[in-house]
Amino acid sequence: MLLSLPFALTNLGIPFRIEYPASKSLSCARLLAHSFILTITQQLLATPDFIPTWDSLVFKEQGDGVPIKWHRDASAESVDDIPAIDIGIYLDEANTKYDNCLWVIPGSHKWPDFMAAHMIDHLTLDGFKKSGAVPVEVEPGDVVLHNILILHGSPACVSPLRRTVYYEYRAIDQEIRMGPHREDYIPIKQKVLLHCIEERKKTNYDQQTKNPQFEYTPTTQIEYEYNPNEHLRYPHKDYFRNTYKG
């Protein structure tokens, strides 16, 4: 992950990734609390005790799509049998026609880090290789969920604009035991989630889609009072454990 700046630039100085969009856009804050997203996250993590961790917007500019190199979103030592879930909401189409879609290596989320590193070296030796990979083709509005350990990436492309909003969610128990954030990060992000849920309740989004509003009921209740001016941006570097290498 790109952690040192709240954005990332191409070699030409063109941004292609923006961090913390939920703190910059009310729509992104409300999207973070989408009832379908939170419901399926809770089911996959098998616990009501979870928090949002990363949020970002990644885009490929029209006619000059930057490559996203093969990578994992974290090292295997930061997660265990409980998956950490990354959810991508696609605002534009992505497919093999434009060669602008995500590619993944099935089963690679089970690999140890050394095996993943070896495959990344192989796939990036001469550009962006796709051997053993499968494309993830999407239409606008589609949602893609992936285990953060799966190898994935996308090649450089000449295509229409492609924008994806990403939210990562982790089980609280796993975050306490394995990080990468300190334990004081957890109640802060619980309040962020509660704020986004309250903001979503102001809309009729869920009524339009006939989805019941999600009720966040962690095992340990936290004190929370809605504040329309709630601060939603908490830089990761301020909460990383001393042992985290990034």
Side-chain angles (χ1 to χ4, degrees):
M1 291 184 174
L2 304 168
L3 303 173
S4 58
L5 294 172
F7 56 86
L9 305 175
T10 67
N11 292 333
L12 297 177
I14 300 172
F16 68 91
R17 177 180 177 123
I18 297 173
E19 302 294 341
Y20 315 109
S23 70
K24 300 176 174 70
S25 163
L26 185 56
S27 294
C28 287
R30 289 170 173 168
L31 186 58
L32 184 149
H34 193 293
S35 58
F36 168 78
I37 290 174
L38 297 182
T39 298
I40 199 168
T41 295
Q42 182 169 275
Q43 291 172 348
L44 290 172
L45 297 179
T47 177
D49 299 315
F50 65 91
I51 56 170
T53 46
W54 270 266
D55 59 300
S56 59
L57 169 64
V58 177
F59 48 96
K60 291 179 179 287
E61 289 281 2
Q62 181 174 347
D64 187 23
V66 66
I68 305 299
K69 296 180 180 180
W70 284 104
H71 67 285
R72 276 178 157 174
D73 293 333
S75 65
E77 66 183 15
S78 66
V79 295
D80 52 17
D81 293 336
I82 302 172
I85 304 297
D86 195 88
I87 297 178
I89 299 99
Y90 282 77
L91 308 185
D92 309 285
E93 67 177 320
N95 50 45
T96 54
K97 172 186 175 182
Y98 295 121
D99 202 20
N100 64 347
C101 65
L102 184 73
W103 289 77
V104 302
I105 304 292
S108 57
H109 62 290
K110 300 178 181 179
W111 296 353
D113 283 335
F114 77 87
M115 188 173 176
H118 177 76
M119 178 59 77
I120 289 172
D121 288 343
H122 167 70
L123 293 173
T124 57
L125 184 61
D126 298 303
F128 186 93
K129 292 182 181 178
K130 301 171 183 173
S131 54
V134 297
V136 182
E137 298 186 290
V138 297
E139 296 293 334
D142 283 350
V143 177
V144 175
L145 295 85
H146 72 260
N147 185 309
I148 67 170
L149 294 185
I150 199 164
L151 288 182
H152 59 288
S154 59
C157 62
V158 177
S159 72
L161 177 66
R162 195 211 83 177
R163 298 161 296 171
T164 313
V165 181
Y166 289 102
Y167 301 109
E168 182 187 288
Y169 301 86
R170 298 189 183 216
I172 289 176
D173 176 68
Q174 185 181 78
E175 191 76 2
I176 292 173
R177 290 183 292 104
M178 308 182 74
H181 303 94
R182 300 192 310 269
E183 198 165 337
D184 58 329
Y185 180 75
I186 293 169
I188 290 172
K189 294 311 292 277
Q190 286 183 295
K191 291 180 180 179
V192 167
L193 178 53
L194 286 167
H195 176 82
C196 292
I197 290 172
E198 290 301 314
E199 287 293 347
R200 189 172 182 86
K201 287 180 179 178
K202 294 181 180 181
T203 73
N204 63 349
Y205 296 157
D206 293 321
Q207 291 89 331
Q208 289 177 343
T209 58
K210 298 182 180 179
N211 288 319
Q213 291 181 333
F214 183 84
E215 295 296 331
Y216 183 54
T217 56
T219 303
T220 302
Q221 294 296 319
I222 61 171
E223 292 185 9
Y224 170 76
E225 182 176 345
Y226 173 74
N227 176 1
N229 300 313
E230 186 76 44
H231 182 64
L232 301 181
R233 184 180 183 276
Y234 295 92
H236 297 284
K237 63 182 179 62
D238 293 346
Y239 294 91
F240 280 148
R241 303 180 188 206
N242 295 333
T243 56
Y244 183 64
K245 298 180 175 59

